[in-house]
Amino acid sequence: MSEAVSRRSAMRLLAAAAGTAGTALGAGACAPGVPPGAGAPRTPLAAPAGAEAKGPARVDALLERLTLDEKTALLHGAPDPTSLGQAGYVPGVPRLGIPPLRLTDGPAGVRVARPATALPAPVLLASAFDPALAREYGRVIGREGRALGQDVVLAPMVNLIRTPYAGRNFETFAEDPRLTADLVGEMIRGIQDEGLIATVKHFALNNQEHGRDTVDVIAAEQTLHETELRGFEAAVAAGAGAVMGAYNKVNGVHACESKPLLEELLRNSWGFDGWVMSDRDATHSTVAAIGAGLDMEMPAGTHFGGPLREAVRGGSVSESAVDLAVHRILATMDRFGLLAARPAARPPRDSAAGARTARKVATAGAVLLRNEHGTLPLTGAAARSIAVIGPTGQVPFVGGGGSAHVVPDGAEAPLTAIRRRAGNGSTVRHALGEDLYGRPLPAKLLTPTADLDTRAVEPGQVWSHEGEFHLTADDEWTLLVHYTGKRPVVRLDGQELFPVRQGVAEYFAGGLLGSAPDGMSVRRTTLALKAGTHRLAVTAEGGDKGQRLRLRHTTGATRAADLAEAVKIAKAARSVVLFAYEDATEGRDRTSLALPGGQERLIEAVTAVNPRTTVVLNTSSGTTMPWLSRTGAVLQMYYPGQEGAGATADLLFGDVDPGGRLTQTFPADERATPVGGEPLRYPGVGGRQEYSEGIHVGHRWYDAQRVTPLFPFGHGLSYTTWQYDKLTVRPQRGGLRVEFTVRNTGRRKGTEVAQVYVGPSAELELDQPVRALAGYRRLLLAPGEAQRVTLDITARALSSWDPEQHAWVLGSGRRQVFVGRSSRELPLRSKAVVTSR
């Protein structure tokens, strides 16, 4: 690190200690929502002590008057007496006019018990390669968070997509550090433009759900700085008010008590002046955590409540350390106007504006992966005779489960949008293909008989039934319980089918599979049943409010009937739109990259009778596709938010050009990924995980290993055609200026994402990517239109992290430059000399 940088860092640290700091609060970011309350308005507070002062003077005046009990109460979450169903709450100090803080989850919209705009998943936003759109996305979250009574949002998530198995890949942006850094910075600016405090998470290396509470992630210094840390550094540069510490350990120390991360890097090197909160229950100590720079424990005061007060009184923690943490919180509150004598009024919700942005993002980020023989867009006879197949054609798949779940204003089914767009005179038929929520058990199945599909249990009552049923042959059954209150107990042959699971696994059951279309909670289990007699027992409690329940099932016979019906209507139609899903959620990783259930068999059967089949993927991350060659087209829509149905129809019928590009590599084989066949890389061995791939994350690994993916990073097709030419590259102030021409050579207006990659420097004796993304530009061009594109490649984009100097060093000398449509389609190449001047 240079002397100048060191001095600047020291000055920023002193300023932070003297009075610039962060605030956030609430209950940890990734937490089950607090049960909905009345949502009463806050009790008016007196103006804060010293409100006539401003900035540091106001914060100092408050800090001087706080008691130790009041100080520590600001450093951890507590129950909200008037909860809106948000993630967390800090009560403030009413006697001094310090208001409470409410904190909401929000990577894809504001997660409270009230309706909010359910935005497309961040990975779909990222696929647009459009930082300006990321800022607009952030502004929707910022405005709605303020309108819904929140002060802090636990977003954005900036951890890299390191493994396609990670359960939360849909909540983040990309496998590429450069793209991630660009997008997170603009999303934070958008959120905070509206007065909501943004919390970047999870700091750091929280790239999987498997063992996330305990795994020790080992990563070298160069690996850290060139991959995972770049997004967090960009978030700090954008002015993020808060940072959330991760669950896992980093190089042997829990992230929430890591002095190298929280103090030396985040505050000293980057100059972060906000506050650091823990993820939910990710605080493991009192003395070590606050000494390392953790300011707030979520969701309660296990370590930062009574134990912190006792530590101060006993002398193991100085009160000045508590003061510093409180100062960071109050200073951030003051920065956002929360301590002003007359805080800014909260805006009204603008649901129409939110919906417009949601639709814009869903169409901009959709990625057309395959399109053979003009399957898309649907036109002429192909647009007038359509079979829509799949459960998510009829039930809108809005978003993933866990912290990203949002209660939408409303969400239309894709089938409805397709029928409307196809218009009068068209035939659009639907077949389920796969039954997600089950059929009623036949009334006469059980002896004695019982109606288990429309059962109501009154408040304070307990209902139970026990009976037998007989199978004449072995069969595979999926049994499902739908319920509105306490989970009913269902036993088959004495075995409890739906036990309550521990931790987040119980709360985060998925964004699609966890609830029925009518809102009832759903749990399911699949069993191989032998021929013979089986005993089924059900017990349900009404509780305080009463509840409804139903028990449903699918069998080999029902699955065969669903498949046959899908094949029948596909054969009769000119075109097929088959919706496929994969339901991901916080709390668990994927166990396979294949589509779950019988969907592969469904696609194979349908494409066998109608090759003009478009598969629309509502999936979270990379998916293997052994059925790919049989399809006409594949459209990747991820989790498209509340406006996903209309956006999907826009794309299918060609009303908009699919302008999204993959921000993650799709592998051809599960074994051929950066972590495939390397258990120490993923999921870890004996609680230890090593990022031994080094800087070669995502597409960089595929290039270094010369592995051909199914679809490369940056890939995405268009309904028009494109030509690149006239590349020039010249040195410029330690960087490069790259110019080239892109022409729309087709007959339709289209969207293109031009991408620039750079090769390694021979003058650096450091590990470097074969090609690194150095810049990109999203273009919208009319037929025949050409645009001259100029991209300035900065010195930072041409630098590597030197672990001996602990600094970025420029990769000078002759560098190769590549330009094209994806990381593997790069028709233009040139070389230029990079100098330090």
Side-chain angles (χ1 to χ4, degrees):
M1 184 181 300
S2 71
E3 183 180 359
V5 171
S6 298
R7 286 178 178 169
R8 286 197 300 271
S9 299
M11 292 300 292
R12 286 194 295 260
L13 177 64
L14 290 172
T20 333
T23 118
L25 48 57
C30 310
V34 181
R42 300 177 184 180
T43 302
L45 296 171
E52 67 283 352
K54 294 183 179 180
R58 175 158 52 201
V59 173
D60 290 343
L62 285 170
L63 192 56
E64 287 178 4
R65 297 183 61 185
L66 287 166
T67 67
L68 179 61
D69 285 356
E70 289 169 335
K71 291 173 187 176
T72 57
L74 291 171
L75 303 186
H76 63 81
D80 186 347
T82 56
S83 173
L84 293 170
Q86 80 279 2
Y89 172 79
V90 170
V93 182
R95 77 175 183 89
L96 296 180
I98 299 174
L101 285 172
R102 286 177 169 85
L103 180 148
T104 178
D105 287 319
V110 179
R111 184 178 180 249
V112 295
R114 294 180 178 176
T117 300
L119 292 162
V123 70
L124 184 55
L125 164 70
S127 300
F129 279 71
D130 188 348
L133 187 59
R135 190 159 189 163
E136 183 179 337
Y137 184 102
R139 293 195 74 140
V140 171
I141 293 173
R143 181 185 177 97
E144 295 211 340
R146 291 272 298 148
L148 290 165
Q150 305 303 301
D151 307 294
V152 183
V153 62
L154 305 177
M157 177 177 167
V158 71
N159 302 105
L160 293 183
I161 298 176
R162 176 177 177 262
T163 166
Y165 293 100
R168 301 181 75 177
N169 282 347
F170 67 94
E171 287 189 56
T172 191
F173 298 109
E175 68 187 20
D176 186 82
R178 163 64 191 268
L179 178 62
T180 297
D182 290 347
L183 298 174
V184 70
E186 289 306 300
M187 184 172 169
I188 285 171
R189 291 183 180 96
I191 290 169
Q192 297 190 161
D193 283 348
E194 300 294 327
L196 193 68
I197 299 168
T199 307
V200 64
K201 62 184 187 182
H202 310 82
F203 192 56
L205 301 178
N206 184 181
N207 295 311
Q208 64 189 59
E209 296 301 280
H210 184 91
R212 69 177 185 176
D213 297 334
T214 56
V215 67
D216 184 7
V217 183
I218 309 301
E221 185 176 326
Q222 183 186 1
T223 299
L224 275 166
H225 282 271
E226 292 195 29
T227 60
E228 176 84 354
L229 294 182
R230 289 195 62 184
F232 290 100
E233 185 181 5
V236 171
V243 170
M244 180 188 292
Y247 282 114
N248 49 279
K249 295 178 181 178
V250 175
N251 293 329
V253 180
H254 284 290
C256 287
E257 55 189 51
S258 170
K259 203 165 188 174
L261 277 180
L262 304 185
E263 182 176 303
E264 297 170 13
L265 178 65
L266 185 63
R267 293 194 170 100
N268 293 15
S269 294
W270 294 346
F272 175 64
D273 59 7
W275 90 97
V276 180
M277 72 177 77
S278 74
D279 206 334
R280 185 179 181 89
D281 295 322
T283 307
H284 296 276
S285 64
T286 299
V287 177
I290 198 164
L294 184 71
D295 302 308
M296 183 175 289
E297 176 188 7
M298 291 299 139
T302 304
H303 299 283
F304 277 21
L308 180 56
R309 292 190 291 273
E310 291 304 312
V312 171
R313 292 173 181 135
S316 57
V317 172
S318 68
E319 190 161 356
S320 63
V322 173
D323 289 349
L324 181 56
V326 173
H327 198 291
R328 290 170 179 147
I329 294 168
L330 293 179
T332 307
M333 292 178 70
D334 193 53
R335 172 187 161 195
F336 283 82
L338 300 179
L339 298 183
R342 294 180 180 82
R346 293 187 181 273
R349 268 199 74 211
D350 189 342
S351 58
R356 286 194 296 272
T357 297
R359 177 88 165 246
K360 181 178 179 180
V361 172
T363 53
V367 185
L368 184 61
L369 297 176
R370 173 180 169 87
N371 192 22
E372 297 296 312
H373 310 299
T375 299
L376 292 181
L378 299 174
T379 59
R384 294 191 295 272
S385 171
I386 305 170
V388 176
I389 295 173
T392 48
Q394 189 175 48
V395 177
F397 196 166
V398 174
S403 299
H405 175 70
V406 177
V407 179
D409 289 303
E412 186 176 54
L415 176 62
T416 303
I418 290 170
R419 280 178 170 154
R420 181 174 60 248
R421 178 58 182 80
N424 295 331
S426 63
T427 301
V428 180
R429 299 180 61 196
H430 177 256
L432 200 58
E434 182 182 30
D435 189 345
L436 295 184
Y437 304 108
R439 289 167 165 76
L441 292 167
K444 296 182 180 179
L445 175 72
L446 289 176
T447 304
T449 61
D451 180 3
L452 297 179
D453 196 56
T454 56
R455 177 61 55 183
V457 185
E458 297 299 319
Q461 300 296 308
V462 176
W463 177 86
S464 62
H465 183 83
E466 185 170 348
E468 293 183 344
F469 65 93
H470 186 79
L471 293 183
T472 58
D474 295 353
D475 200 356
E476 181 180 86
W477 277 36
T478 296
L479 281 162
L480 307 94
V481 62
H482 301 212
Y483 58 99
T484 61
K486 180 180 178 182
R487 174 93 51 81
V489 176
V490 182
R491 290 187 172 89
L492 183 66
D493 299 329
Q495 176 187 350
E496 187 171 352
L497 298 184
F498 311 108
V500 175
R501 295 176 289 179
Q502 295 299 311
V504 295
E506 174 59 28
Y507 293 94
F508 297 152
L512 174 71
L513 301 178
S515 60
D518 62 359
M520 294 179 74
S521 297
V522 176
R523 295 295 185 270
R524 55 179 54 71
T525 188
T526 299
L527 303 164
L529 299 184
K530 296 291 186 181
T533 300
H534 298 272
R535 295 195 63 81
L536 183 69
V538 183
T539 302
E541 299 178 16
D544 295 336
K545 299 180 180 179
Q547 77 155 313
R548 294 179 296 118
L549 70 112
R550 54 189 176 230
L551 195 65
R552 292 191 168 182
H553 76 319
T554 62
T555 68
T558 67
R559 288 188 289 273
D562 288 338
L563 183 65
E565 176 66 13
V567 168
K568 178 181 176 182
I569 75 154
K571 191 173 183 179
R574 293 292 297 268
S575 302
V576 176
V577 180
L578 192 157
F579 286 83
Y581 73 91
E582 179 262 321
D583 193 15
T585 183
E586 177 180 352
R588 67 170 185 260
D589 282 345
R590 305 162 75 190
T591 57
S592 169
L593 303 188
L595 293 172
Q599 293 183 95
E600 290 191 349
R601 184 168 60 252
L602 174 65
I603 293 171
E604 289 168 356
V606 167
T607 53
V609 298
N610 193 329
R612 290 188 59 86
T613 295
T614 296
V615 176
V616 178
L617 292 171
N618 293 134
T619 55
S620 67
S621 192
T623 303
T624 52
M625 305 180 195
W627 38 264
L628 180 66
S629 63
R630 302 180 182 90
T631 64
V634 178
L635 180 64
Q636 176 62 254
M637 291 295 296
Y638 294 109
Y639 301 153
Q642 68 179 49
E643 302 300 315
T648 302
D650 288 344
L651 291 154
L652 291 173
F653 288 90
D655 298 333
V656 294
D657 193 44
R661 304 294 182 262
L662 289 181
T663 68
Q664 58 189 304
T665 307
F666 277 35
D669 188 306
E670 294 201 32
R671 295 164 294 184
T673 76
V675 299
E678 297 279 356
L680 195 55
R681 290 185 185 175
Y682 175 83
V685 176
R688 176 186 171 94
Q689 182 179 50
E690 295 183 3
Y691 281 30
S692 55
E693 72 274 20
I695 64 165
H696 302 289
V697 64
H699 60 95
R700 299 176 178 184
W701 179 88
Y702 287 87
D703 289 342
Q705 299 298 318
R706 298 183 180 180
V707 172
T708 301
L710 184 64
F711 297 112
F713 175 87
H715 171 76
L717 304 177
S718 168
Y719 291 150
T720 187
T721 54
W722 302 93
Q723 179 181 318
Y724 286 70
D725 58 17
K726 299 178 182 176
L727 172 63
T728 63
V729 183
R730 64 178 184 271
Q732 176 179 275
R733 297 187 215 95
L736 298 172
R737 171 158 285 188
V738 179
E739 296 184 64
F740 54 94
T741 299
V742 179
R743 184 182 302 276
N744 180 349
T745 56
R747 297 181 178 181
R748 301 174 59 99
K749 182 167 77 171
T751 300
E752 176 66 326
V753 177
Q755 302 160 46
V756 177
Y757 297 80
V758 295
S761 165
E763 296 183 9
L764 277 185
E765 294 184 359
L766 293 167
D767 197 13
Q768 299 172 71
V770 174
R771 281 181 293 275
L773 180 68
Y776 50 89
R777 180 70 53 80
R778 184 178 176 89
L779 306 169
L780 179 63
L781 299 180
E785 184 181 1
Q787 183 170 327
R788 189 70 178 165
V789 178
T790 301
L791 288 173
D792 289 327
I793 310 303
T794 64
R796 176 64 177 270
L798 298 165
S799 297
S800 296
W801 184 267
D802 188 335
E804 293 187 1
Q805 298 185 49
H806 309 295
W808 292 97
V809 292
L810 182 65
S812 54
R814 188 173 295 276
R815 303 288 293 267
Q816 193 164 13
V817 176
F818 309 82
V819 177
R821 307 195 65 241
S822 78
S823 64
R824 290 293 178 94
E825 188 179 347
L826 299 164
L828 303 184
R829 303 186 180 195
S830 184
K831 292 181 180 179
V833 175
V834 175
T835 64
S836 57
R837 297 180 183 180

